[in-house]
Amino acid sequence: MSAARWGAGFTAVSRFVAEIEAAAAGKGELKPGYVLAGDETFLLDRCRAAVLKAFVPPDLRDFCLSDLDLQGSSIFEVLDRAQTPSLMAPFQVIFVRNLRQLYTRGAKKDEFARWSGIFARRIRKR
């Protein structure tokens, strides 16, 4: 059965995993950030596993991997962490849950302006 028959979620995950694997093999370019939206934990876990396998060696996880949740953290804390380079690893991987918190009532102009600044940057290859 092809991925197209599984549904849009499976197809999108397959494309994401292929892009991550290509970037890890030096055959593609990573974007400065990715937003994965949805309620399917299985699909989100597949994406997370692909990123961890490709870019986060087990011995560096304590230094370059962050798991944050906007229900308990400020978006500005997430953004500050994204802009602060790790002293022990050449890169950072930050997983942020509950991004829907940004789409609640009220203008979030400051938050979106900071996000767009981070996503607009190009990842520098070392």
Side-chain angles (χ1 to χ4, degrees):
M1 180 183 278
S2 72
R5 297 183 119 196
W6 294 341
F10 283 95
T11 303
V13 168
S14 294
R15 281 195 314 265
F16 175 80
V17 170
E19 185 173 326
I20 294 298
E21 289 172 348
K27 298 177 183 176
E29 189 174 330
L30 282 177
K31 294 175 179 63
Y34 294 88
V35 176
L36 307 172
D39 294 322
E40 294 292 334
T41 304
F42 170 75
L43 297 177
L44 295 172
D45 286 346
R46 281 190 61 201
C47 294
R48 179 186 170 88
V51 170
L52 292 176
K53 179 181 177 188
F55 296 108
V56 186
D59 60 327
L60 288 181
R61 286 191 182 172
D62 290 339
F63 305 111
C64 69
L65 179 63
S66 298
D67 278 300
L68 300 168
D69 191 326
L70 290 184
Q71 286 186 325
S73 300
S74 156
I75 188 61
F76 294 110
E77 179 183 340
V78 174
L79 294 168
D80 287 341
R81 185 162 307 187
Q83 293 175 319
T84 304
S86 171
L87 296 175
M88 303 296 286
F91 58 88
Q92 290 189 81
V93 174
I94 302 171
F95 291 107
V96 182
R97 297 186 191 279
N98 290 308
L99 281 174
R100 289 186 193 133
Q101 299 293 325
L102 292 179
Y103 296 96
T104 58
R105 282 188 158 185
K108 302 281 186 178
K109 293 177 185 174
D110 293 338
E111 290 89 334
F112 283 113
R114 297 258 323 255
W115 268 121
S116 65
I118 288 176
F119 283 119
R121 292 187 194 139
R122 303 301 289 173
I123 294 176
R124 287 183 246 154
K125 294 185 179 181
R126 293 182 180 228

